[in-house]
Amino acid sequence: MNQVLAKLNEIQQGQIGIKVYCTRSNGFLDSINPEMTIPLASAAKIAIGYCAAAGVETGELNWNDLVDNISFNPGEDSKELYPHLQLRSSLQLREAVEVMIACHDSYVAGEIVRYCGGWEKVNHTIQAAFPSIHATENPRSQENKGKLDETLNLIIHIYEEYIKKPDIWTPIINGLVRQKGGIDGIPSFHLNHMTGGLDHALVDIGIMGAFGEQPLLFAVGAVNLPNRFHDKTADQKIIEAMKLLYQEYTKH
């Protein structure tokens, strides 16, 4: 883990944070700035998925419920990942949550939130367990944010509940597994994650490793970066750190 932290500390402009949970030891590894607040961008959709699953768990919602008025954000990749859904104007809640996460689709996210009772109710559900996390309709909003350690706690909760109750938590995991965004050197089936990026910030949260072989759960964030569309230094350092983290996983 020392190599991972050293690589991230090479980012000289901006603030970086990382926190990692080892499912083998059921403990946290060394971290950097775990309590920093980060903009979530598209990664907030995992919290929206959590809200839907929580509703299914309590019986308020059902994964087979139909979500109407579905349209797909043309700027995302549902045409490639879900070509068979493009002519449909309604999806089962389970399908909508998977597509929202797999494709980072804000249009689908908006309809899921509407179906779950609106943004205020969704945030109330999220914040009952993860007080710092706040999701907004506009993923680029400064209010779409959370503390790094709570985003990791969100992933830990989803992973652990999936292991115990896959019938409830599978749609979120399906979305993480199906989405694109691989890193050369890490097998795609060992990197199930959700990224979010803005001009001067980024976040990556997810599961690294095989589900049945005690994976690492991680949250990485960076803020106050140089414009990432012109300066790729931070992105590259984080990719290198993720490769080192994967090496850490393969050791145990």
Side-chain angles (χ1 to χ4, degrees):
M1 192 65 187
N2 289 339
Q3 288 183 305
V4 176
L5 302 184
K7 180 59 65 176
L8 292 174
N9 280 323
E10 292 178 7
I11 299 174
Q12 297 180 351
Q13 290 182 271
Q15 185 180 22
I16 188 75
I18 184 172
K19 192 168 184 180
V20 179
Y21 180 78
C22 177
T23 61
R24 176 182 290 272
S25 64
N26 293 322
F28 296 100
L29 306 184
D30 293 339
S31 61
I32 301 174
N33 296 324
E35 295 187 356
M36 69 182 286
T37 297
I38 53 173
L40 295 177
S42 287
K45 293 174 179 63
I46 294 181
I48 295 171
Y50 160 82
C51 181
V56 172
E57 191 166 45
T58 62
E60 181 180 357
L61 302 173
N62 188 295
W63 281 131
N64 295 325
D65 292 346
L66 282 180
V67 180
D68 296 321
N69 302 314
I70 288 291
S71 62
F72 302 96
N73 188 332
E76 304 298 347
D77 59 358
S78 67
K79 287 184 178 179
E80 291 76 25
L81 291 182
Y82 297 92
H84 56 302
L85 301 182
Q86 297 303 301
L87 297 179
R88 288 173 55 180
S89 59
S90 64
L91 296 174
Q92 289 181 318
L93 181 60
R94 68 172 71 248
E95 295 173 315
V97 166
E98 179 180 333
V99 171
M100 169 186 68
I101 292 173
C103 301
H104 298 208
D105 196 306
S106 58
Y107 291 9
V108 177
E111 293 306 320
I112 293 171
V113 169
R114 179 194 61 77
Y115 193 81
C116 290
W119 288 99
E120 183 175 351
K121 183 175 181 181
V122 163
N123 277 301
H124 183 269
T125 300
I126 294 168
Q127 290 164 11
F130 311 101
S132 74
I133 296 179
H134 185 266
T136 61
E137 183 173 9
N138 177 7
R140 302 184 68 83
S141 169
Q142 293 183 351
E143 296 305 310
N144 191 56
K145 62 185 179 180
K147 289 186 177 180
L148 187 71
D149 54 0
E150 285 197 1
T151 65
L152 177 59
N153 289 342
L154 173 65
I155 285 292
I156 293 171
H157 181 87
I158 291 169
Y159 171 81
E160 291 182 341
E161 291 301 300
Y162 169 72
I163 297 301
K164 293 185 291 187
K165 294 174 283 189
D167 55 320
I168 293 177
W169 296 88
T170 288
I172 299 174
I173 297 297
N174 280 350
L176 289 174
V177 168
R178 193 157 189 175
Q179 65 92 54
K180 295 180 180 177
I183 294 176
D184 288 342
I186 304 177
S188 59
F189 54 90
H190 278 180
L191 186 58
N192 304 293
H193 64 144
M194 186 82 170
T195 59
L198 301 173
D199 293 5
H200 299 279
L202 60 86
V203 60
D204 192 351
I205 58 178
I207 301 164
M208 180 177 285
F211 279 84
E213 298 176 5
Q214 300 171 310
L216 298 175
L217 313 182
F218 66 89
V220 180
V223 297
N224 301 321
L225 298 172
N227 190 305
R228 296 175 50 243
F229 295 97
H230 305 296
D231 186 337
K232 301 292 186 182
T233 303
D235 292 65
Q236 186 57 45
K237 295 295 182 183
I238 288 173
I239 288 172
E240 292 171 9
M242 293 289 280
K243 292 179 180 180
L244 291 169
L245 185 62
Y246 183 66
Q247 292 178 17
E248 189 83 16
Y249 164 73
T250 58
K251 291 176 185 177
H252 66 241

